[in-house]
Amino acid sequence: MSFSISIHSSKGGTGKTCIAQNLAYAYAMDGKNVCLLDLDLKSPSLFSGLFPVKDCWLNSVLEGRQEIDDVLVDATREMGTKGRVCVGYSNPDIAEIREISLKDRRWQSQALQKLIDCKKKLFSSGFDVVIMDSSPGVDYTSVNVVACSEYVITVFKSGESRGVQLVINGIYKPLEKRCFAIENMNNGVSSFSFEDQIPVPVLARIPCMCDVSKYGTKKLFTCEDPAHPFSKAIFNLKDQIC
Amino acid sequence: MDNKEQTDKILFLLKSIDEKLDKLLRMKHIYMADEVPEGLDVMTLLSLPDHLRTTATALIENGVSTAEDLAKITSKKRAVESSYLNQLVRMGHVRKFRKGKKVFFEIQSSL
Ligand SMILES: Nc1ncnc2c1ncn2[C@@H]1O[C@H](COP(=O)(O)OP(=O)(O)OP(=O)(O)O)[C@@H](O)[C@H]1O
Ligand SMILES: [Mg+2]
């Protein structure tokens, strides 16, 4: 059964992109066909150049100018994984980013439909897992991504759990999403007071690791260093989801 | 006041009421064109009452559907779904069309 996972957070810089790209590789190593989409339209990451890029963007798919198959880049050969890995990117051109911020409700309503069509098309063309990296916070770019996925993983930093409850109760639950949380950059101290409980399963509490912060999103840990504690945390996460 | 004078006065008042109504309706038209979004964006979806949001969410995910299709997804009665869908149609979020004997619903498209 195919499924899609959106990786979201109420605040920025919690490790979404890191987790998304490493999780994608982990699934592909398992033989799953994976599609990894950078849907952070406001601040495209290009996944730090870890995968090949071509001059085609998800923006055109949302506009209805191109089909999803035309903009994906097949990275399977470069990655050497058992399953397929295809990657889709948001356009990093500043004019395009400005354009996105001007879109009205009508366009956003169409974009949501396009995203759902896109996901269905990916499932029917043999992808088992679609991983969507989103913008942080609550706006159309991020909530559209949440709305079109089966699972939502919300990533929060230790000590910043209040915003998490807001998005769980105010966004994910009303949209009837199955959601999980990841506490990232845990410093060994439990950050919860009793009333601060997260109302969904916390699948991982990943410690703050110098290596991860040193390489940023530029190193694919699950590929280059599978024995690393960060990689192990990602493999474990993958096994818990499906 | 004789009869003719009274009738004229009534006619004059009716005409001015008519004009004012027209003016109001024109204003309302502009107002409605602004307020009622075509289609259904995710923020509007989130602001719907629970029962309508469940129906609309299922319709967004499923695409063109009959009330019966949605009833299967939401585990509600067909007649209930049908009534929710018609509410969404009146609100301008959903389009209803007939094909043969069946009635279909889809999210209103702006295209
Ligand atoms: N467990 C960790 N330990 C240390 N550093 C981490 C850890 N996880 C992520 N980081 C670092 O945090 C920084 C932010 O990560 P990342 O870009 O993945 O966050 P993001 O949530 O995608 O940010 P944005 O909201 O801006 O898109 C990166 O430099 C990353 O290497
Ligand atoms: Mg990111």
Side-chain angles (χ1 to χ4, degrees):
Chain A
M1 186 64 181
S2 304
F3 59 91
S4 63
I5 309 171
S6 59
I7 319 261
H8 180 244
S9 63
S10 70
K11 294 199 173 190
T14 58
K16 292 180 294 301
T17 305
C18 244
I19 290 169
Q21 60 200 26
N22 280 285
L23 188 61
Y25 185 84
Y27 273 117
M29 279 305 281
D30 262 9
K32 291 239 173 18
N33 296 324
V34 183
C35 182
L36 174 64
L37 302 177
D38 172 23
L39 281 162
D40 191 346
L41 293 157
K42 291 189 300 183
S43 177
S45 68
L46 292 173
F47 298 117
S48 303
L50 288 174
F51 311 99
V53 182
K54 68 176 177 184
D55 192 16
C56 286
W57 314 104
L58 291 167
N59 307 54
S60 324
V61 180
L62 300 183
E63 293 273 11
R65 284 189 269 112
Q66 270 182 303
E67 294 298 325
I68 182 71
D69 313 339
D70 303 330
V71 306
L72 290 183
V73 186
D74 195 327
T76 317
R77 205 161 45 90
E78 284 83 350
M79 294 292 115
T81 47
K82 218 161 108 192
R84 272 176 85 194
V85 192
C86 288
V87 190
Y89 301 96
S90 289
N91 195 334
D93 186 310
I94 189 66
E96 281 297 320
I97 297 171
R98 286 202 309 254
E99 196 57 38
I100 286 292
S101 74
L102 293 172
K103 298 299 187 189
D104 64 3
R105 293 169 143 200
R106 211 176 272 203
W107 189 89
Q108 296 295 354
S109 154
Q110 177 198 308
L112 175 58
Q113 293 290 320
K114 293 279 176 206
L115 272 178
I116 288 173
D117 291 348
C118 195
K119 175 189 76 175
K120 289 183 181 169
K121 222 174 257 177
L122 291 171
F123 290 163
S124 65
S125 56
F127 285 100
D128 304 301
V129 189
V130 177
I131 297 178
M132 297 180 281
D133 185 18
S134 85
S135 299
V138 177
D139 67 2
Y140 279 111
T141 42
S142 58
V143 182
N144 270 348
V145 174
V146 166
C148 84
S149 55
E150 276 77 38
Y151 296 100
V152 185
I153 293 181
T154 188
V155 186
F156 65 99
K157 280 195 201 174
S158 298
E160 292 183 353
S161 61
R162 193 166 305 281
V164 190
Q165 298 184 25
L166 290 180
V167 287
I168 292 173
N169 295 324
I171 308 285
Y172 315 151
K173 291 216 165 147
L175 291 173
E176 293 161 32
K177 297 298 160 191
R178 276 173 279 176
C179 38
F180 304 113
I182 295 177
E183 182 179 14
N184 193 18
M185 304 185 217
N186 181 310
N187 48 16
V189 186
S190 174
S191 59
F192 300 105
S193 60
F194 199 69
E195 65 272 25
D196 248 21
Q197 290 293 322
I198 301 291
V200 298
V202 180
L203 294 189
R205 297 186 191 273
I206 306 176
C208 191
M209 287 175 253
C210 295
D211 276 355
V212 184
S213 109
K214 183 168 130 202
Y215 292 104
T217 50
K218 292 190 183 66
K219 179 169 169 178
L220 202 52
F221 281 84
T222 43
C223 168
E224 292 172 48
D225 194 352
H228 193 280
F230 186 76
S231 307
K232 285 188 173 162
I234 299 290
F235 292 132
N236 189 274
L237 171 68
K238 175 209 68 182
D239 293 337
Q240 289 185 74
I241 302 170
C242 192
Chain B
M1 241 195 284
D2 65 10
N3 253 353
K4 164 98 171 73
E5 214 175 333
Q6 251 179 344
T7 317
D8 281 352
K9 191 161 183 208
I10 290 170
L11 277 175
F12 174 80
L13 279 174
L14 277 176
K15 203 168 162 242
S16 96
I17 291 172
D18 219 30
E19 277 166 5
K20 280 185 185 142
L21 264 179
D22 271 351
K23 206 165 155 189
L24 267 177
L25 282 174
R26 270 203 304 279
M27 277 168 62
K28 183 149 165 56
H29 182 72
I30 293 163
Y31 171 75
M32 283 185 43
D34 258 8
E35 278 304 290
V36 177
E38 269 180 70
L40 186 53
D41 63 277
V42 74
M43 299 303 172
T44 307
L45 177 71
L46 280 166
S47 70
L48 292 174
D50 288 353
H51 61 290
L52 292 182
R53 193 176 54 243
T54 303
T55 300
T57 306
L59 183 61
I60 288 179
E61 179 69 36
N62 204 47
V64 177
S65 315
T66 63
E68 197 165 356
D69 297 335
L70 293 189
K72 276 187 202 130
I73 300 172
T74 61
S75 320
K76 287 178 187 155
K77 290 223 163 67
R78 194 205 66 86
V80 174
E81 277 310 333
S82 175
S83 127
Y84 294 168
L85 282 162
N86 283 312
Q87 279 183 57
L88 289 164
V89 171
R90 281 196 297 280
M91 292 166 87
H93 301 313
V94 168
R95 188 175 82 89
K96 181 178 178 174
F97 62 96
R98 217 170 269 279
K99 213 167 167 188
K101 274 191 184 161
K102 283 192 166 175
V103 177
F104 291 91
F105 297 87
E106 71 174 344
I107 297 297
Q108 179 80 263
S109 156
S110 49
L111 297 174

